Amino acid sequence: KNEVEQSPQNLTAQEGEFITINCSYSVGISALHWLQQHPGGGIVSLFMLSSGKKKHGRLIATINIQEKHSSLHITASHPRDSAVYICAVKRGSSGDKLTFGTGTRLAVRP
Amino acid sequence: GAVVSQHPSRVICKSGTSVKIECRSLDFQATTMFWYRQFPKQSLMLMATSNEGSKATYEQGVEKDKFLINHASLTLSTLTVTSAHPEDSSFYICSADKDRAYNEQFFGPGTRLTVL
């Protein structure tokens, strides 16, 4: 079992829909990152969380440390949101290294 | 946000040649940079951790003599793929740690290497 699990693996949505991507982890962490990777390959860091909730534009990220779970929400989804969303955790005992989930491939149809 | 660049963005080379990829932090100093490799439709795989002024720490299974890493300054790390072979064709991504106290890590745009 992977230390970081994401669900769903693939997601297709209609433009305007509310989207939720989930991330569960099984190890102690010091921080959790949500990353976005577009088809061209470049990675953008969306959020870094260690507790609570963060919001940036139409994106919201939450984390529940006790339940070892984080969610990424996209409100009013748009075709340009189509990308792979990756959850990555920085383990408390591994220094600076990140452990990555396998990603969620999102396609938003117009 | 902080910016990390990579050069080149794409490179095609012949089998047996060496290729150097640069990773630069443009507006901050990074004592630690990371090199990842990504195969199609797979997640990132950490290859090595690059520390300024010291030897890189390689992950298990990564050949340090094949993937040479140099972190000569606080803003530049290089990955050299020596004697490249077609199986080295991949997408290579670097990231830089801006502030360890705040767990901030910024990613470069990646370099697509194709070895013919």
Side-chain angles (χ1 to χ4, degrees), chain B residues 8-99:
Chain B
S9 57
R10 289 178 180 271
V11 57
I12 300 172
C13 69
K14 292 182 178 179
S15 188
T17 60
S18 294
V19 174
K20 181 185 281 189
I21 302 170
E22 293 185 349
C23 177
R24 292 182 185 271
S25 55
L26 297 185
D27 53 356
F28 65 98
Q29 293 183 330
T31 54
T32 304
M33 291 183 173
F34 302 89
W35 287 97
Y36 301 91
R37 185 173 181 176
Q38 186 180 36
F39 291 105
K41 297 195 176 182
Q42 293 188 25
S43 194
L44 283 74
M45 182 191 79
L46 178 65
M47 299 175 67
T49 302
S50 170
N51 296 297
E52 187 267 337
S54 65
K55 290 183 179 180
T57 303
Y58 290 81
E59 295 299 300
Q60 193 172 11
V62 178
E63 298 177 62
K64 60 182 179 183
D65 294 330
K66 180 162 186 66
F67 298 100
L68 300 178
I69 291 172
N70 184 281
H71 194 154
S73 77
L74 287 171
T75 59
L76 173 65
S77 176
T78 60
L79 168 68
T80 301
V81 183
T82 62
S83 187
H85 288 281
E87 58 265 30
D88 298 323
S89 298
S90 190
F91 192 59
Y92 292 88
I93 303 172
C94 73
S95 71
D97 229 3
K98 181 180 181 183
D99 189 329

Side-chain angles (χ1 to χ4, degrees), chain A residues 31-103:
Chain A
L32 182 145
H33 295 253
W34 280 104
L35 311 171
Q36 180 192 56
Q37 185 172 31
H38 278 283
I43 289 179
V44 174
S45 181
L46 299 175
F47 294 104
M48 189 280 295
L49 295 162
S50 53
S51 65
K53 175 181 176 179
K54 287 189 176 180
K55 183 176 189 292
H56 186 259
R58 295 181 294 106
L59 302 177
I60 303 167
T62 63
I63 188 169
N64 185 316
I65 297 295
Q66 287 73 32
E67 294 186 3
K68 291 186 165 63
H69 181 269
S70 175
S71 293
L72 176 68
H73 306 285
I74 305 175
T75 61
S77 60
H78 191 276
R80 64 175 174 265
D81 297 325
S82 298
V84 175
Y85 292 84
I86 303 169
C87 171
V89 301
K90 183 176 284 191
R91 296 175 65 175
S93 61
S94 70
D96 304 310
K97 292 194 289 188
L98 294 177
T99 302
F100 295 85
T102 52

